[in-house]
Amino acid sequence: MARQLRAEQTRATIITAAADLFDRQGYESTSLSDIVGHAQVTKGALYFHFAAKEDLAHAILELQSRAAQQVVADVEGRGYSSLEALMRATFAVARLAVDDPVPRAGLRLATADVVVRAPLRHPFTEWLDFATRKINGAVREADAHPETDAGVVAHSLVCFFIGTRVAGRSLEPVGRLPRRVAEMWHLVIRGLVPVHRRPRYLTLATQLEREIRTC
């Protein structure tokens, strides 16, 4: 039992170290030797758990997917409007990225040349499906203009969200991400939501950003 616990701890240490380097340096620029040094483990320990760098990337994407699915399950079960659920999900993922290098690396790996193995879905596809469903719901609930093309809005939103983190990674601290997400929503709401419903969602975007900053 103690040996199994140590093995699990070592695996978690390796994943966290790899995630930190993938986020900071990029997947392509990070070697297994870099990860061994950053994790302070032996090469044997790394190869015991992961045969290749691709295996590490896949493990991070799996953990990121589980975290995102938990976020979706949480917002889906609380009776929010479709638009509010989508907004809360994006801020929750931003909070995960601020707090934990694994979800943070998952955002960057979504744009890397990593083969996603079945049954795991590519994070872009997973997020796109959720966003499309929620935008369609917002149209039905009159929180979005009736002529809204949900697929176009969802695609733009997901690209905006991922791009905000990836582009800003080397320019500003990760703690700035919640503010950038709030800015994203202020722009989206003004183009998506009918005028008489905008105040509620503009206020919500500001509130959700503050909640992350005060945690």
Side-chain angles (χ1 to χ4, degrees):
M1 183 66 73
R3 182 177 297 177
Q4 181 181 352
L5 179 60
R6 284 197 300 273
E8 290 173 357
Q9 290 171 338
T10 299
R11 186 178 190 277
T13 296
I14 293 168
I15 288 174
T16 300
D20 185 44
L21 290 177
F22 289 161
D23 177 58
R24 290 195 285 114
Q25 299 178 180
Y27 174 76
E28 295 81 3
S29 299
T30 300
S31 68
L32 286 177
S33 295
D34 293 334
I35 295 167
V36 165
H38 196 47
Q40 297 185 323
V41 298
T42 65
K43 284 188 177 180
L46 186 146
Y47 283 115
F48 176 79
H49 294 283
F50 303 100
K53 188 169 71 168
E54 291 83 356
D55 297 327
L56 263 167
H58 199 264
I60 290 167
L61 287 170
E62 282 185 325
L63 290 170
Q64 197 276 340
S65 177
R66 283 183 214 160
Q69 288 170 9
Q70 185 59 57
V71 164
V72 168
D74 287 345
V75 299
E76 294 273 41
R78 293 181 179 269
Y80 298 127
S81 69
S82 294
L83 184 57
E84 180 168 352
L86 180 56
M87 291 176 66
R88 286 184 177 275
T90 59
F91 278 98
V93 172
R95 175 179 283 176
L96 288 173
V98 170
D99 293 342
D100 189 336
V102 174
R104 192 157 64 240
L107 290 178
R108 188 162 189 190
L109 286 171
T111 65
D113 188 19
V114 177
V115 175
V116 180
R117 305 168 194 157
L120 187 67
R121 301 174 68 205
H122 193 283
F124 187 89
T125 302
E126 206 167 41
W127 299 334
L128 189 60
D129 286 352
F130 173 66
T132 301
R133 183 158 50 85
K134 288 304 172 187
I135 296 296
N136 274 323
V139 172
R140 289 193 302 271
E141 295 159 15
D143 278 334
H145 296 297
E147 70 276 12
T148 297
D149 186 322
V152 170
V153 174
H155 187 276
S156 299
L157 189 70
V158 173
C159 289
F160 197 159
F161 182 79
I162 296 174
T164 293
R165 172 56 194 153
V166 175
R169 177 192 50 79
S170 59
L171 301 176
E172 56 191 20
V174 68
R176 185 72 173 166
L177 183 57
R179 180 59 192 159
R180 295 303 185 196
V181 174
E183 291 168 350
M184 173 189 80
W185 274 114
H186 277 264
L187 289 172
V188 170
I189 289 164
R190 286 184 171 89
L192 179 70
V193 180
V195 173
H196 66 286
R197 298 205 178 204
R198 285 179 198 169
R200 172 191 173 190
Y201 290 108
L202 291 170
T203 300
L204 178 64
T206 301
Q207 171 195 328
L208 292 172
E209 186 232 334
R210 283 184 187 143
E211 287 176 3
I212 295 177
R213 284 196 287 114
T214 55
C215 286

